């Protein structure tokens, strides 16, 4: 009986020693942190990131952080999602902008523009949150006559145009020119406008379908309308 007991204790001690020596698999490391070998897990792909339904601020941040690392086609996917999210935000905020708290914030606190540095000074929490949402999402406020309008900040996107295909980069550049009054002057610069319209026509002729082509077509209508007006 004593021999059996001793044998059992010996086997138990051997099993414990093997376990302490590495016989058990290492615990899994938390997602996003280095594992025991020091390896960092592969980051989410662009499509996986977009499948998570991120808001405009997250998409804009992802685009800025990865602009120099992504294939142009993935840059276009991010641009597409960002513009679609902007349309939803603009539809919402372009109605609210006429409410008294928003008018006060825009003109008395922000000085009539979407000044990111001053958004924190807006007293009304909901109004401050809405302006912050637009700013984080890479939007701006453009004034048409006396009407303030939330739009995509095309000038900001031109700084990232190296992340896009040629068509999407041209879209950002020409939209920025229209938005910033690039062609206006005394007299207006119709030669530059005509050259950009011709270039947009050329880009459209080389595309059969897709989001960028749809956006370029909208741009083309705006360019021609400005030229004729």
């Amino acid at each position: 009986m004593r021999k059996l007991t001793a044998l059992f204790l010996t086997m138990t001690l051997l099993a414990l020693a093997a376990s302490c020596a590495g016989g058990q698999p290492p615990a899994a490391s938390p997602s996003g942190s280095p594992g025991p070998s020091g390896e960092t897990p592969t980051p989410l792909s662009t499509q996986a990131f977009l499948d998570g339904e991120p808001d405009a601020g997250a998409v804009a941040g992802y685009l800025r952080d990865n602009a120099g690392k992504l294939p142009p086609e993935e840059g276009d996917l991010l641009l597409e999602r960002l513009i679609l999210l902007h349309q939803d935000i603009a539809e919402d905020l372009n109605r609210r902008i006429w409410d008294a708290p928003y008018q006060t914030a825009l003109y008395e606190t922000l000085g009539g523009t979407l000044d990111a540095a001053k958004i924190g000074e807006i007293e009304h929490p909901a109004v401050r949150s809405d302006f912050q949402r637009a700013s984080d999402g890479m939007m701006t406020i453009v004034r048409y006559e006396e009407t303030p309008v939330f739009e995509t900040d095309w000038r900001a996107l031109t700084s990232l145009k190296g992340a896009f295909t040629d068509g999407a980069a041209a879209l950002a550049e020409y939209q920025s020119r229209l938005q910033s009054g690039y062609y206006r002057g005394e007299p207006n610069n119709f030669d530059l406008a005509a050259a950009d319209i011709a270039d947009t026509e050329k880009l459209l002729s080389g595309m059969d379908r897709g989001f960028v082509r749809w956006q370029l077509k909208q741009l083309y209508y705006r360019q021609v309308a400005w030229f004729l007006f």
Side-chain angles (χ1 to χ4, degrees), residues 1 14 31 34 41 46 51 58 77 87 100 106 144 162 173-174 180 202 207 212-213:
M1 185 68 178
L14 287 173
S31 177
T46 297
D51 287 345
L77 280 177
Q87 291 178 355
L106 177 60
Y144 295 97
E173 181 65 39
Y174 295 151
S180 64
K202 188 184 298 184
M207 296 182 184
V212 172
R213 188 183 194 282

Side-chain angles (χ1 to χ4, degrees), residues 4 47 65 75 140 150 172 195 199 220 226:
L4 288 174
Q47 189 58 60
D65 293 344
T140 188
F150 285 87
D199 193 36
Y220 178 73
W226 181 90

Side-chain angles (χ1 to χ4, degrees), residues 42-52 62 66 70 74 77-78:
T42 303
L44 285 176
S45 69
T46 297
Q47 189 58 60
F49 167 73
L50 293 175
D51 287 345
Y62 186 96
N66 296 281
L70 298 172
E74 293 188 20
L77 280 177
L78 291 165

Side-chain angles (χ1 to χ4, degrees), residues 142-159:
V142 180
R143 186 166 283 96
Y144 295 97
E145 299 296 339
E146 297 302 318
T147 303
V149 177
F150 285 87
E151 291 184 353
T152 299
D153 188 347
W154 291 105
R155 182 178 181 181
L157 284 170
T158 60
S159 67

Side-chain angles (χ1 to χ4, degrees), residues 8 10 13 37-38 54 115 131 133 149 156 160 194 196 199 212 222 227:
F8 175 78
T10 300
L13 289 171
S37 65
D115 187 340
F131 277 100
R133 174 167 55 123
V149 177
L160 304 174
D196 288 351
D199 193 36
V212 172
R222 290 190 64 197
F227 191 91

Side-chain angles (χ1 to χ4, degrees), residues 67-193:
K69 312 169 191 174
L70 298 172
E73 293 74 17
E74 293 188 20
D76 284 10
L77 280 177
L78 291 165
L79 179 64
E80 175 180 347
R81 179 66 63 87
L82 191 60
I83 292 173
L84 292 174
L85 289 168
H86 285 174
Q87 291 178 355
D88 291 338
I89 294 172
E91 184 178 355
D92 180 24
L93 297 188
N94 286 339
R95 290 195 306 264
R96 298 190 191 189
I97 195 62
W98 296 106
D99 295 345
Y102 289 83
Q103 289 282 293
T104 299
L106 177 60
Y107 292 108
E108 295 184 13
T109 306
L110 301 181
T113 64
L114 189 54
D115 187 340
K118 296 179 180 178
I119 291 176
E121 300 173 16
I122 298 173
E123 293 184 3
H124 195 294
V127 176
R128 183 171 62 247
S129 176
D130 279 339
F131 277 100
Q132 191 67 60
R133 174 167 55 123
S135 178
D136 290 347
M138 211 177 286
M139 297 185 75
T140 188
I141 292 177
V142 180
R143 186 166 283 96
Y144 295 97
E145 299 296 339
E146 297 302 318
T147 303
V149 177
F150 285 87
E151 291 184 353
T152 299
D153 188 347
W154 291 105
R155 182 178 181 181
L157 284 170
T158 60
S159 67
L160 304 174
K161 64 183 182 181
F164 309 133
T165 60
D166 290 345
L171 169 69
E173 181 65 39
Y174 295 151
Q175 285 281 26
S176 176
R177 292 181 182 184
L178 277 174
Q179 192 177 66
S180 64
Y182 177 80
Y183 308 112
R184 290 197 295 267
E186 292 295 339
N188 289 322
N189 202 327
F190 292 111
D191 290 342
L192 281 176

